[in-house]
Amino acid sequence: NAGVTQTPKFRILKIGQSMTLQCAQDMNHNYMYWYRQDPGMGLKLIYYSVGAGITDKGEVPNGYNVSRSTTEDFPLRLELAAPSQTSVYFCASSYPGQGLLEAFFGQGTRLTVV
Amino acid sequence: GQQLNQSPQSMFIQEGEDVSMNCTSSSIFNTWLWYKQDPGEGPVLLIALYKAGELTSNGRLTAQFGITRKDSFLNISASIPSDVGIYFCAGPFEGSQGNLIFGKGTKLSVKP
């Protein structure tokens, strides 16, 4: 059982470049999330999705875009990378009901923008 | 806006010691969660609390949902080296179903 899989694990981008962080889950979870984690800080929500075709902004959405064409996949797009986007990115998923907040996290993508 | 304050920020303890950490919220929560993050990994859920006053254990870990619904506590008994990591408290993000707000974490170091 793979759970939540993120690729790549590490990436270095130059300012102005773009990239897509991939996230896939095999638990048939409706809800999926993207968080970023900066050193010494907790996780902050970038975007989330409650199901295929539905996405919404979280706390820190500027500079990012998402799409959700299938239940399994939830890619995060950075269009014009900036140094402020250097961070560790985590994708997560959860299932509706009492366990809605009991999110399962991927291993993270460590992104450096230079 | 919503804030979660976790303390202490970091702890350095000897193997075998007990550990206590806590989290306070600026608003009332109906759910508290405790996650652990190992170095280089994503957070993993340790304990979920759904009722004020609830005390729940998971092995050597015990968490409590404060009566005021604005705080929660996590205790680790007889710490071992693999307890090293960052412990996060989390609760529901206001006005947004399913989303979490996280504390800044308590970094635990255990000396063998």
Side-chain angles (χ1 to χ4, degrees), chain B residues 47-63:
Chain B
I47 294 177
L49 302 161
Y50 291 99
K51 190 175 173 183
E54 181 181 352
L55 189 70
T56 297
S57 292
N58 178 3
R60 293 178 295 105
L61 277 64
T62 301

Side-chain angles (χ1 to χ4, degrees), chain A:
Chain A
N1 188 355
V4 178
T5 303
Q6 289 183 240
T7 55
K9 285 193 168 43
F10 304 93
R11 184 73 186 267
I12 297 175
L13 274 185
K14 292 186 178 176
I15 295 171
Q17 285 186 321
S18 59
M19 77 164 291
T20 299
L21 282 67
Q22 301 291 346
C23 175
Q25 54 91 10
D26 62 0
M27 297 174 283
N28 203 30
H29 284 171
N30 298 73
Y31 286 67
M32 294 188 74
Y33 317 86
W34 275 104
Y35 289 89
R36 62 176 286 172
Q37 183 180 28
D38 298 316
M41 304 294 286
L43 285 78
K44 290 193 181 294
L45 184 68
I46 305 172
Y47 270 95
Y48 68 100
S49 168
V50 302
I54 307 169
T55 62
D56 210 344
K57 295 178 181 178
E59 197 179 353
V60 290
N62 291 345
Y64 308 94
N65 276 302
V66 293
S67 59
R68 184 97 182 268
S69 56
T70 68
T71 300
E72 295 77 20
D73 300 298
F74 190 40
L76 177 72
R77 179 91 179 151
L78 283 71
E79 289 295 347
L80 289 169
S84 61
Q85 293 178 305
T86 293
S87 189
V88 183
Y89 292 84
F90 289 100
C91 179
S93 70
S94 66
Y95 196 77
Q98 169 149 318
L100 178 61
L101 294 174
E102 297 178 14
F104 292 79
F105 283 82
Q107 287 193 308
T109 294
R110 186 174 295 274
L111 177 68
T112 302
V113 182
V114 296

Side-chain angles (χ1 to χ4, degrees), chain B residues 60 80 99:
Chain B
R60 293 178 295 105
I80 59 178
N99 296 327

